[in-house]
Each structure stands twice: as structure tokens, then as C-alpha cells.
Amino acid sequence: MGDLRIKDLVVEYASGGQTIRPIDGLDLEIAAGSLVIVLGPSGCGKTTLLSCLGGILSPTDGRIQFGDVEVTSIDRRGLTAYRRHTVGLVFQAFNLVASLTALENVMVPMWAAKWPRRLARARARELLTQVGLQERMTHRPGDLSGGEQQRVTVARALALDPPLILADEPTAHLDFARVKEVLRLLRELATGERIVVVATHDTRILPLADHVIELAPPLASADREPETVHLTRGAVLSEQGSAGELIYVVTDGELEVVRELADGGEELLKSVHPGDYCGEIGPWLRMPRLATVRARTDATVVGYSVQAFREKFGTFTEPHHLEDLEIDTGHSAVGFVGFVDAPRLTKQRRCLR
């Protein structure tokens, strides 16, 4: 269908007497055939952005254009047609009908579109085979694993062959063994004219992405006092995927920085000793943590805001361990196309390559 273009997108709403802008001035251009990751912690606006792209939520301001369709200017009837024929939704909670088989669940969108039952059944069989469920078509959701249910939702989203797939936290309820198959499937779907947009806080999908949009909370206040943290051996200081506000300097003991892998294992990135620091990438790039930091021994650390760290230890132009986070997708570089905070957009560009 074409490229996805977003210009000056603003979403604003009132909460508790205050005006909240989870998205403020987002500009984005994505080519057809791309896998886009909207990455960030819970509550940062990921689902809000997907809702705007899917024609479910009208933004306060700005423009969304997908191919020749200007989504933000079409009427209610036009939005209904857009959602039905252009958008496929993969829900976090699966939203399968418990009384229907996998085959029948995939047929639901085609029934709504008035497809003949014979054609709908043939199409559903084809899609379930495509996602590897040819032996599970007659099983109901309660008899399927989490990974199998998620694949049924993907097949259902593809029922009308939409050029835009929107997936909201597709790995949230999956164990490590099932995550890899779902991530690979999403990567395979982003081909030809189709664009796949995935909202997640799961950084395991990053190596597969063409573009990453960072939605993150604001940085810690510059006048925030340093925080001393005492850790026992094995205690976690910060988790991969969590919001990053502080840079940690080790004063005693030893830490280890590890990255969780899609297969359930982990990779040791570095050890941190007294006088060293870690955790700078999250607050420096305004993004969730890309690794987990835990105590290898009993340890004491001091956490600093970015500004406080610079004032005490000097300025760093970029994280000195950024090379550890180089990502090779095998098909293109991972482009970090935007860093969105609340309440405004920081227009930065970075490519980890």
C-alpha cells in the first residue's frame, strides 16, 4: 500500500486536573516492508500511538498518512473501512473466542466482511498452516499454549491481508521458549508492502527491527540528590526493559551487566568494579535499560542523575560501553528514529551500528 508518514503528531488528554501529552510533535517516516518497534516502559504512550495508527483514537493534532490514505482526515465511515481492510490487530490478551476453534477464530473477520463460508474456511486453513498450527486447527483456545494462542491471533490479524499489522505487547504472556517463535513470525510478516508495528517493553525483539521508536519518561531532575544503594550478592540493581534515570558508580564490591536473550539465556556484557560506572545508556539516550545489572558480590553503589554525574565526574560524549550493544540484524541497521518523552519530543537520531 505504501509508506507510513507521521507529521507533528500530538496526543493530549486531561488527568486529575492536569494536561498530559504522552506524544508531542512526533515525526516519522517508515518504508513499506519494515518492522517498527515502539519501545518503552508501561504507561509511556505505546498503546496510544498504536491506537492512533489503527484509526481507533483521534490525535489532538498532527497528521498520519498510510500510502494514499490520510488517516487523520477521513470520516467515521471511512475509519471503519480503514480498520477493516487496512489494519490487522494482534492483542496482548489474545481476545480469542473461547467457544470457537482456532480455525473458527481466524474466520471471524471474514464472516464480518461477508466472505462465503467456504472461502473463509480455506483462507483460515492457509493462514494457520502459515503460522505452524496445521495440526491444531480444531482445538479451542483453552487447549492451546500461550504461544499457540498468540499465533492464532496473528493468523486472525492476517485474515483480510492488511498492509498494516499493529501488535500490542505480543510477548507479554509468553514464556522464553515461545517468545522466539512469535518474534520470528513478526519479522517474517514485515515484507513487501506490509508494515508491522510492535509496541513492547521487551528488548529481545530489538535485533530483528528496522526502526525503533523510544517512548520514555523524562530524565531524573538535575537537582536530585545522589542515592546510595547497598546490595547483597545476587540482588538486581536495574532490570532490562525498565526505565533508566540514574547512572551508578560502584564504591564497593562488584556488579555484573547481563543481557537477556530470546532463548531464555543471558550474555555477560561486562563486570563493574569500584570506581567504574554503569547504567549510563538508559538515562543518557532517554530509553529503557538494555541490560540487567546485579550484584556479583555484596556491593555499594551511588546513583547520580545525568547532570549530577557530569558535574561530579566530567562530561562523556557517548556511553563508553555502547560498542557492547551493537546489533546486527542480518538485513539492515537498527535505526533509532525518535526519542519521545513526556511531555515533549526530543528530536534526536541515532543508529546503533
Side-chain angles (χ1 to χ4, degrees):
M1 182 171 179
D3 300 343
L4 173 64
R5 296 180 177 86
I6 300 173
K7 182 66 175 177
D8 295 328
L9 192 69
V10 176
V11 177
E12 180 180 291
Y13 59 89
S15 177
Q18 295 182 329
T19 298
I20 306 298
R21 281 192 173 189
I23 300 173
D24 190 0
L26 177 62
D27 292 325
L28 185 62
E29 184 166 341
I30 301 296
S34 297
L35 174 61
V36 183
I37 306 304
V38 183
L39 186 68
S42 300
C44 68
K46 301 188 301 296
T47 300
T48 297
L49 179 57
L50 258 61
S51 297
C52 291
L53 297 180
I56 299 169
L57 175 68
S58 297
T60 307
D61 201 0
R63 183 168 61 90
I64 298 173
Q65 183 168 341
F66 185 53
D68 297 329
V69 178
E70 189 166 337
V71 182
T72 43
S73 66
I74 55 181
D75 58 20
R76 181 176 298 180
R77 179 173 296 180
L79 281 175
T80 299
Y82 169 78
R83 289 192 294 266
R84 175 172 294 174
H85 300 291
T86 304
V87 180
L89 297 173
V90 179
F91 297 98
Q92 175 180 348
F94 307 145
N95 288 355
L96 298 175
V97 181
S99 60
L100 300 182
T101 65
L103 187 70
E104 292 166 337
N105 268 284
V106 177
M107 292 171 67
V108 167
M110 293 177 277
W111 290 341
K114 309 298 184 184
W115 279 42
R117 190 174 185 86
R118 179 178 58 83
L119 292 180
R121 180 175 291 273
R123 172 67 173 164
R125 286 182 177 277
E126 174 190 336
L127 290 171
L128 286 172
T129 299
Q130 181 181 339
V131 300
L133 292 177
Q134 58 270 26
E135 305 297 329
R136 310 288 280 172
M137 295 185 186
T138 60
H139 290 70
R140 289 180 170 80
D143 299 321
L144 300 174
S145 69
E148 289 171 336
Q149 290 185 63
Q150 191 62 282
R151 282 184 281 165
V152 174
T153 69
V154 171
R156 183 181 59 186
L158 292 170
L160 301 178
D161 196 24
L164 179 62
I165 299 291
L166 304 176
D168 190 6
E169 297 284 5
T171 63
H173 300 300
L174 305 182
D175 56 33
F176 282 114
R178 302 301 177 188
V179 166
K180 191 173 183 179
E181 63 190 33
V182 172
L183 297 186
R184 185 186 297 114
L185 177 58
L186 292 171
R187 174 66 262 177
E188 292 171 353
L189 293 177
T191 57
E193 291 296 303
R194 182 180 291 126
I195 293 175
V196 178
V197 183
V198 179
T200 185
H201 66 277
D202 191 342
T203 57
R204 291 171 292 185
I205 197 171
L206 283 178
L208 303 177
D210 298 302
H211 303 279
V212 176
I213 306 170
E214 296 292 341
L215 294 175
L219 289 170
S221 172
D223 58 4
R224 179 172 175 174
E225 290 295 320
E227 299 179 6
T228 299
V229 181
H230 301 285
L231 301 166
T232 58
R233 180 181 179 182
V236 173
L237 177 62
S238 60
E239 289 187 307
Q240 183 171 316
S242 64
E245 293 187 337
L246 299 178
I247 302 169
Y248 295 102
V249 177
V250 179
T251 59
D252 185 54
E254 183 179 348
L255 307 180
E256 58 185 7
V257 181
V258 297
R259 179 166 48 198
E260 298 172 8
L261 304 176
D263 62 3
E266 63 182 30
E267 173 189 7
L268 178 64
L269 297 181
K270 64 174 178 175
S271 298
V272 189
H273 303 89
D276 293 339
Y277 63 89
C278 63
E280 72 277 13
I281 292 176
W284 189 79
L285 293 181
R286 304 176 72 90
M287 62 189 290
R289 304 288 191 188
L290 295 185
T292 293
V293 180
R294 63 175 176 243
R296 177 172 285 177
T297 66
D298 291 350
T300 301
V301 302
V302 180
Y304 298 88
S305 68
V306 171
Q307 186 60 38
F309 181 89
R310 285 172 171 162
E311 291 175 355
K312 185 173 181 64
F313 300 101
T315 301
F316 49 79
T317 57
E318 64 177 281
H320 66 299
H321 291 288
L322 190 60
E323 65 274 10
D324 289 333
L325 298 171
E326 181 177 348
I327 298 169
D328 186 357
T329 66
H331 58 278
S332 66
V334 179
F336 282 78
V337 296
F339 299 89
V340 181
D341 61 19
R344 63 179 297 277
L345 173 71
T346 302
K347 294 181 187 285
Q348 292 179 287
R349 300 291 185 267
R350 187 160 191 86
C351 179
L352 297 190
R353 187 68 174 174

